[in-house]
Amino acid sequence: MKLVIIGAQGTIGKKVSNLLSSEGHEIIQVGKKSGDYQADLAEPETLKTLFQKIGRFDSLAIAAGEVAFAPLEELTLEQWQDSFQNKLLGQIQAVQKALPYIRDGGSFTLIGGSLSNDPIKAGTAASTVNRALEGFVISASCDLPRGLRINLVSPTVLEESVKTYGNFFPGVIPVAGDRVAQAYKKSILGCQTGQIYFVT
Amino acid sequence: MKLVIIGAQGTIGKKVSNLLSSEGHEIIQVGKKSGDYQADLAEPETLKTLFQKIGRFDSLAIAAGEVAFAPLEELTLEQWQDSFQNKLLGQIQAVQKALPYIRDGGSFTLIGGSLSNDPIKAGTAASTVNRALEGFVISASCDLPRGLRINLVSPTVLEESVKTYGNFFPGVIPVAGDRVAQAYKKSILGCQTGQIYFVT
């Protein structure tokens, strides 16, 4: 299988990349500045060009996307718009721009996050965007043609990130990146569609 | 109680307005072109001006917001951005712009919709926006100061709208607008926060 991974150099992207390549799949690594190809979720035109260059492939997995963190009273209109443009609309546009190139029966795997239903202080934009992605995946599964599947991986804070972000998640038990990669594997190699895989 | 209703002239807005005014509450009706004051969810500056004009009040209820309907393969970037800007960011901005004026212990009641977890064909933008609003309300309840509350009313298709939209909702049992108004009443006069009231 030819698998495109956007965010292939991130903590999760590397795990997914290693897991699937170890099983003999061909991995096309995409990063903002690294990888086989470059693209930026915040700039839809780069996504269009990306898939024109890659051509036909079987599955797209995304493990990238940025959102703003700030108390609700301080979140600016620009921070909201940037958050929507990047992690939310960036992933949606990646799906849409990939449609002409992905093979029949292929799959899309997007990334959300557990803040969608387990909020933290100053995480309003993340909760909004992550939950929006759940709605997108659930409904997109009704609209996708040619047996294409789509699922969302929704992890809590990673063990690998707990030193940096742990204090923002009081009482939240972190999860190993390896477990998150298994959720991607389920989405990519399995049969399900319209599902949200909470990895907690 | 002084209650501001944005979308007061719509099917739901009228029901909420009548229900709460019949119990002696003061209603400030806001519409795009009708009502005591005018404002447009798609234009944040009109929301800022709105609350400057209204001054102190107790509760804000919103029963307005537009999203695009089209098959996923045809939804344009502009339709996505307009949908986010209107029903999603419009309601978020209304909450943020109202914060300096709403009294301690007041409440915000926003409108989502059952497509968030019960999708229909060509409803991807609606599902995405409605579910985003769930995430916003759940997380905003953690961040709101001064005992302010926030809830989301998430109705399915209305009996009053079934002639127009019913064919898009096969097998969905419509709900009376009066039941939706009761959910607003629970949010406005009750004690709960961070809740999603599915009216189905």
Side-chain angles (χ1 to χ4, degrees):
Chain A
M1 171 185 296
K2 187 171 173 181
L3 167 64
V4 178
I5 303 180
I6 297 179
Q9 290 301 313
T11 307
I12 293 174
K14 276 183 196 163
K15 300 270 188 193
V16 176
S17 192
N18 291 340
L19 181 62
L20 276 291
S21 69
S22 75
E23 300 195 4
H25 299 290
E26 179 190 358
I27 313 291
I28 310 292
Q29 299 196 331
V30 182
K32 258 201 287 196
K33 294 176 180 171
S34 59
D36 304 310
Y37 297 91
Q38 286 73 50
D40 186 343
L41 288 182
E43 297 179 19
E45 281 308 308
T46 66
L47 297 167
K48 189 176 175 185
T49 309
L50 173 71
F51 293 109
Q52 284 170 343
K53 285 184 190 164
I54 292 175
R56 305 290 284 171
F57 68 96
D58 298 290
S59 286
L60 170 65
I62 308 181
E66 295 166 17
V67 289
F69 282 85
L72 178 57
E73 291 179 89
E74 296 169 17
L75 267 173
T76 66
L77 180 60
E78 193 180 4
Q79 284 178 309
W80 278 112
Q81 286 169 332
D82 287 348
S83 300
F84 292 160
Q85 187 69 30
N86 195 307
K87 189 173 181 181
L88 177 52
L89 198 47
Q91 294 194 82
I92 291 172
Q93 286 281 294
V95 169
Q96 290 187 296
K97 304 294 189 202
L99 276 174
Y101 304 97
I102 191 167
R103 290 198 185 95
D104 291 4
S107 71
F108 298 102
T109 308
L110 275 50
I111 180 124
S114 63
L115 295 185
S116 68
N117 59 23
D118 196 21
I120 58 171
K121 276 193 181 297
T124 315
S127 292
T128 304
V129 164
N130 288 345
R131 194 135 174 155
L133 285 158
E134 296 176 8
F136 174 71
V137 160
I138 287 172
S139 55
S141 70
C142 287
D143 265 9
L144 284 175
R146 301 188 285 113
L148 296 169
R149 299 181 299 107
I150 186 166
N151 297 296
L152 186 74
V153 175
S154 180
T156 188
V157 65
L158 298 184
E159 286 179 1
E160 291 85 347
S161 312
V162 90
K163 271 194 177 172
T164 315
Y165 301 119
N167 286 345
F168 296 104
F169 292 81
V172 174
I173 297 168
V175 68
D178 286 336
R179 291 176 64 101
V180 181
Q182 290 295 334
Y184 277 83
K185 182 175 172 180
K186 186 196 279 185
S187 174
I188 295 163
L189 300 182
C191 67
Q192 301 177 10
T193 190
Q195 301 301 307
I196 304 160
Y197 299 129
F198 291 106
V199 188
T200 56
Chain B
M1 171 187 294
K2 187 171 172 181
L3 168 64
V4 178
I5 303 181
I6 297 179
Q9 290 300 312
T11 308
I12 294 174
K14 276 184 195 163
K15 300 270 188 192
V16 176
S17 192
N18 291 340
L19 181 62
L20 276 291
S21 68
S22 74
E23 299 194 3
H25 298 291
E26 180 189 357
I27 312 292
I28 312 291
Q29 299 196 330
V30 182
K32 257 201 287 196
K33 294 177 179 171
S34 59
D36 305 310
Y37 297 91
Q38 286 71 52
D40 186 344
L41 287 181
E43 297 179 18
E45 281 308 306
T46 67
L47 298 166
K48 188 177 175 185
T49 309
L50 173 72
F51 293 109
Q52 284 170 344
K53 285 183 189 164
I54 292 174
R56 306 289 284 171
F57 68 97
D58 298 291
S59 286
L60 170 65
I62 309 181
E66 294 165 18
V67 290
F69 283 85
L72 177 58
E73 290 179 89
E74 296 169 16
L75 268 172
T76 65
L77 181 58
E78 193 178 4
Q79 284 178 309
W80 278 112
Q81 287 169 332
D82 286 350
S83 301
F84 292 160
Q85 186 69 30
N86 196 305
K87 188 173 182 181
L88 177 52
L89 198 46
Q91 293 194 82
I92 291 172
Q93 286 281 294
V95 169
Q96 290 187 295
K97 304 296 188 200
L99 276 174
Y101 304 98
I102 192 167
R103 291 198 183 95
D104 292 4
S107 71
F108 298 102
T109 308
L110 275 49
I111 181 124
S114 64
L115 295 185
S116 68
N117 59 25
D118 195 21
I120 58 172
K121 275 195 181 297
T124 316
S127 292
T128 304
V129 164
N130 289 345
R131 193 134 175 156
L133 285 158
E134 296 176 8
F136 174 71
V137 160
I138 287 172
S139 56
S141 71
C142 287
D143 265 10
L144 284 175
R146 303 186 283 112
L148 296 170
R149 299 181 299 105
I150 185 164
N151 298 297
L152 186 74
V153 175
S154 180
T156 188
V157 66
L158 297 184
E159 286 179 0
E160 291 84 347
S161 311
V162 91
K163 271 194 180 174
T164 315
Y165 301 118
N167 285 345
F168 296 104
F169 292 81
V172 174
I173 297 168
V175 67
D178 286 336
R179 291 177 65 102
V180 181
Q182 291 294 334
Y184 277 83
K185 182 175 173 181
K186 185 195 277 186
S187 174
I188 295 163
L189 300 181
C191 67
Q192 301 177 9
T193 190
Q195 301 302 307
I196 303 159
Y197 299 129
F198 291 105
V199 188
T200 56

